[in-house]
């Protein structure tokens, strides 16, 4: 790797410069044939290694924004989120993400990080979350993260280096995992797709894109341990709620209810499969 | 409550349902054949329970979009059996889906391979935000290898390289391939391939073009 490229990578903070860096790298690689998506994969791999430090991954901007949002008094009740109970008691953020989704007795249901943070915003800060739920995801190429995406990035990052330990032993948690399993195989819409269609066998591709096979614990761990992620192609920080929405979009389904029982159950099912995997977030992906 | 692995839960689905006290009501426990109410689709989860969660996650839609969310009988059975239906169920699916194939009015199965090639490359259509006035694509390359020159192909389906050379271009072969693309499940119950004609995702003319792309000796698939 050229020292120039390395220096450039270290100072990358915006999506635009990510794109520039990638194209410079392409130009420096003597390519005997036109660059394929596989080449892009390899590039991204190198790039990921280069920018694994917080100074260079644009996803860390969202982490910082999230921390500010977490600790700033806001809403009709002019309160911070610092008393939010993410499952390990009010105020404990460290390691909380590694145990989500989980059952919360105070609401009587299983929640993932996004659902729980929204609940805390409503109950502690008195914020009406309807507008956030209506537009939860940042538009590609715009502001790299919405409020809720930034908050998830912050909370998730506080479990960095820890292992997924969502035990899913409470009857309601088991029910969520089983419901997620049923959803995974549920075929629907104009192309008869289910999650299984694309993620049902080891080593398969759609066009040139390799697809994770979640029955392989290694693949499930590598996947679930790397969300939220900064998606270079969308220049945005993305959460698991967005990934599931995105896959339903590919399935030709109407927009799936954000933080609905369906998306939480699928996240619970996949997280159970990823048990023991290490969390390294925000990661960076295509 | 004893700790059980998920595999053990799956192996003893009805026993597991009993263990999941609180999660499942007594009526959920019985496992029934068929896609009727009470059928179990995952340990302790009835089809009704699943559909209730689905209905809550896709609320307030106009009729055309609401229809996408609801399963037909074949989708429900393939989901329940995870695409491996018992023989009797598979036979019932095949019989039902065969009846659903609509044939070209002019009796011709071969369209334009050039249009078929474009169709095979295009993944457009049906996604939220896609312009419904623009033609849908077949996205065949998402799952199949076809022309040897196109290296960006997926592997969810078998390679169809030189398909026409192997299959021939007789009227019988044309009809068979037409049926397959119109409704893959008229040939193979619970195939992972979309039922393009049945779902009205592709038109009869588009399906004829796809058949030509596969079978026409002039098509790059057979070069």
């Amino acid at each position: 790797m050229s020292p120039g490229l390395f220096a450039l990578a270290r100072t990358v903070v915006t999506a635009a410069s990510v794109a520039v860096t990638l194209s410079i790298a392409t130009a420096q690689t003597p390519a005997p044939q036109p660059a394929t998506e596989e080449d892009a994969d390899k590039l991204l791999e190198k790039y990921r290694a280069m920018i694994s430090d917080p100074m260079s991954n644009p996803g860390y901007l969202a982490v910082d924004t999230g921390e500010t949002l977490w600790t700033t008094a806001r809403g009709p009740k002019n309160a911070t989120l610092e008393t939010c109970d993410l499952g390990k008691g009010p105020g404990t953020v460290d390691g909380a993400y590694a145990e989500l989704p989980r059952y919360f007795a105070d609401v009587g249901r299983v929640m993932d990080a996004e659902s729980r943070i929204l609940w805390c915003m409503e109950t502690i800060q008195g914020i009406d979350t309807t507008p956030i739920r209506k537009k939860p995801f940042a538009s590609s190429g715009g502001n790299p993260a919405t409020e809720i995406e930034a908050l998830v990035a912050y909370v998730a990052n506080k479990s960095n280096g820890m292992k997924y330990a969502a035990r899913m032993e409470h009857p309601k948690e088991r029910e969520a995992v089983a419901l997620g399993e049923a959803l995974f195989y549920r075929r629907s819409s104009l192309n008869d797709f289910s999650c299984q269609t694309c993620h049902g066998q080891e080593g398969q591709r759609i066009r040139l894109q390799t697809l994770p096979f979640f029955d392989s614990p290694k693949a499930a761990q590598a996947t679930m341990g790397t969300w939220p992620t900064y998606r270079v192609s969308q220049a945005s920080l993305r959460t698991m709620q967005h990934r599931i929405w995105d896959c339903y979009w590919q399935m030709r389904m109407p927009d799936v209810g954000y933080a609905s029982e369906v998306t939480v159950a699928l996240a619970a099912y996949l997280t159970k499969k990823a048990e023991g995997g290490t969390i390294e977030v925000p990661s960076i992906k295509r | 409550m004893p700790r059980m692995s998920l595999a053990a839960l799956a192996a003893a689905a009805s026993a597991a349902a009993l263990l999941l006290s609180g999660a499942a009501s007594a009526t959920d426990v019985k496992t029934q054949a068929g896609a009727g109410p009470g059928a179990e689709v995952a340990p302790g989860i009835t089809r009704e329970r699943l559909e209730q969660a689905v209905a809550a996650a896709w609320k307030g839609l106009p009729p055309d979009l609401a229809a996408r969310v609801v399963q037909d009988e074949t989708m429900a059975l393939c989901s329940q059996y995870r695409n491996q239906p018992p023989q009797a169920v598979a036979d019932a699916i095949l019989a039902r889906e065969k009846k659903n194939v609509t044939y070209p009015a002019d009796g011709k199965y071969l369209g334009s391979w050039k249009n078929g090639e474009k169709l095979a490359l295009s993944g457009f259509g049906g996604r939220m935000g896609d312009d419904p006035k623009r033609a849908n694509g077949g996205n065949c390359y998402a799952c199949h290898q076809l022309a040897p020159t196109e290296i960006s192909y997926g592997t969810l389906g078998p390679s169809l390289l030189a398909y026409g050379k192997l299959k021939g271009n007789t009227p019988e072969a044309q009809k068979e391939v037409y049926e397959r693309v119109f409704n893959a499940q008229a040939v193979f119950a619970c195939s992972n391939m979309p039922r393009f004609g049945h779902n009205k995702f592709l038109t009869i003319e588009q399906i004829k073009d796809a058949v030509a792309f596969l079978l026409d000796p002039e098509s790059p698939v057979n070069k």
Side-chain angles (χ1 to χ4, degrees):
Chain A
M1 187 197 315
S2 82
L5 186 59
F6 187 72
L8 189 62
R10 283 191 60 88
T11 53
V12 164
V13 280
T14 66
S17 31
V18 171
V20 169
T21 312
L22 279 173
S23 60
I24 288 174
T26 312
Q28 286 187 344
T29 313
Q33 54 184 13
T36 64
E37 281 185 55
E38 268 165 340
D39 293 334
D41 266 349
K42 285 197 202 99
L43 261 176
L44 202 58
E45 203 54 58
K46 262 194 218 155
Y47 182 68
R48 202 178 280 143
M50 253 168 20
I51 60 157
S52 58
D53 79 290
M55 295 309 290
S56 326
N57 178 345
Y60 276 89
L61 286 180
V63 173
D64 291 346
T65 309
E67 179 167 21
T68 307
L69 287 167
W70 190 264
T71 52
T72 305
R74 300 194 307 145
K77 296 188 184 171
N78 197 34
T80 76
L81 286 169
E82 286 158 310
T83 59
C84 177
D85 181 359
L86 294 167
K88 293 172 78 75
T92 304
V93 185
D94 284 346
Y97 191 79
E99 295 177 22
L100 289 167
R102 72 190 297 157
Y103 174 72
F104 287 91
D106 51 11
V107 287
R109 60 189 168 89
V110 174
M111 292 174 135
D112 64 350
E114 298 172 73
S115 320
R116 188 61 183 179
I117 293 167
L118 286 168
W119 187 81
C120 283
M121 290 169 79
E122 287 159 7
T123 53
I124 299 170
Q125 300 181 308
I127 291 175
D128 175 9
T129 61
T130 315
I132 301 177
R133 291 174 191 272
K134 270 197 188 132
K135 204 191 170 301
F137 311 127
S139 346
S140 293
N143 188 355
T146 59
E147 217 172 277
I148 185 66
E149 285 170 328
L151 282 163
V152 174
Y154 164 67
V155 167
N157 180 248
K158 287 282 187 184
S159 289
N160 238 1
M162 298 181 195
K163 291 199 187 314
Y164 258 123
R167 279 184 296 277
M168 309 291 178
E169 278 167 355
H170 187 279
K172 289 281 190 192
E173 291 167 354
R174 290 179 181 224
E175 189 197 23
V177 170
L179 181 62
E181 180 181 334
L183 285 160
F184 194 84
Y185 291 94
R186 185 182 185 276
R187 301 183 66 168
S188 61
S189 200
L190 306 175
N191 279 345
D192 302 315
F193 287 153
S194 72
C195 314
Q196 181 271 344
T197 310
C198 297
H199 301 288
Q201 260 177 280
E202 186 86 61
Q204 283 184 316
R205 304 193 318 243
I206 194 159
R207 299 295 298 245
L208 285 178
Q209 217 153 309
T210 45
L211 297 158
F213 171 55
F214 301 117
D215 281 349
S216 142
K218 253 182 85 183
Q221 289 170 356
T223 295
M224 300 308 284
T226 48
W227 286 81
T229 189
Y230 181 82
R231 291 201 62 186
V232 176
S233 59
Q234 304 180 356
S236 300
L237 179 113
R238 297 305 192 195
T239 64
M240 191 39 56
Q241 283 285 337
H242 184 272
R243 185 64 250 185
I244 293 171
W245 170 84
D246 193 339
C247 280
Y248 270 123
W249 178 81
Q250 293 188 69
M251 288 164 71
R252 277 74 184 164
M253 283 288 266
D255 296 330
V256 62
Y258 175 71
S260 59
E261 189 181 26
V262 162
T263 52
V264 173
L266 279 167
Y269 172 64
L270 295 176
T271 305
K272 178 70 192 170
K273 288 190 173 293
E275 205 171 1
T278 305
I279 297 171
E280 285 169 71
V281 291
S283 70
I284 188 158
K285 291 182 195 248
R286 73 155 87 229
Chain B
M1 191 192 290
R3 237 195 112 165
M4 282 183 84
S5 73
L6 239 130
L9 280 171
S14 52
L18 275 169
L19 276 172
L20 288 165
S21 52
S25 72
T27 50
D28 292 344
V29 171
K30 53 180 187 304
T31 307
Q32 296 175 359
E40 217 171 60
V41 288
I45 303 292
T46 59
R47 183 159 139 76
E48 280 165 317
R49 175 71 182 83
L50 170 63
E51 294 310 307
Q52 171 232 317
V54 167
W58 282 277
K59 283 185 302 226
L61 295 168
D64 58 325
L65 289 181
R68 294 190 189 186
V69 179
V70 179
Q71 294 182 306
D72 68 13
E73 180 77 1
T74 296
M75 286 169 171
L77 286 165
C78 293
S79 305
Q80 183 188 337
Y81 292 107
R82 316 253 162 113
N83 297 329
Q84 294 178 318
Q87 195 58 50
V89 175
D91 290 345
I93 291 174
L94 286 175
R96 175 171 52 241
E97 299 298 316
K98 256 202 165 63
K99 269 191 287 180
N100 288 335
V101 178
T102 311
Y103 294 92
D106 61 3
K108 295 199 176 77
Y109 296 108
L110 222 55
S112 139
W113 70 257
K114 284 185 183 157
N115 289 344
E117 179 167 42
K118 285 189 205 118
L119 185 82
L121 284 162
S122 166
F124 184 85
R127 299 164 302 197
M128 297 304 286
D130 280 353
D131 178 359
K133 289 195 283 289
R134 242 179 84 188
N136 291 346
N139 212 9
C140 318
Y141 276 112
C143 302
H144 296 288
Q145 181 178 27
L146 292 141
T149 44
E150 179 53 71
I151 56 157
S152 174
Y153 61 85
T155 56
L156 294 170
S159 169
L160 302 176
L161 197 65
Y163 193 69
K165 277 194 196 160
L166 304 168
K167 185 98 185 165
N169 190 21
T170 61
E172 294 74 39
Q174 292 174 6
K175 184 169 182 233
E176 257 181 65
V177 176
Y178 178 89
E179 285 170 344
R180 170 82 77 160
V181 181
F182 191 96
N183 188 339
Q185 298 205 45
V187 186
F188 183 175
C190 299
S191 169
N192 267 338
M193 179 159 141
R195 293 171 293 171
F196 288 110
H198 173 77
N199 293 344
K200 298 195 164 52
F201 195 74
L202 297 180
T203 64
I204 289 178
E205 285 310 311
Q206 284 180 308
I207 294 170
K208 287 165 69 172
D209 293 341
V211 175
F213 185 48
L214 289 175
L215 298 186
D216 195 317
E218 292 308 309
S219 161
V221 169
N222 301 310
K223 292 290 178 193

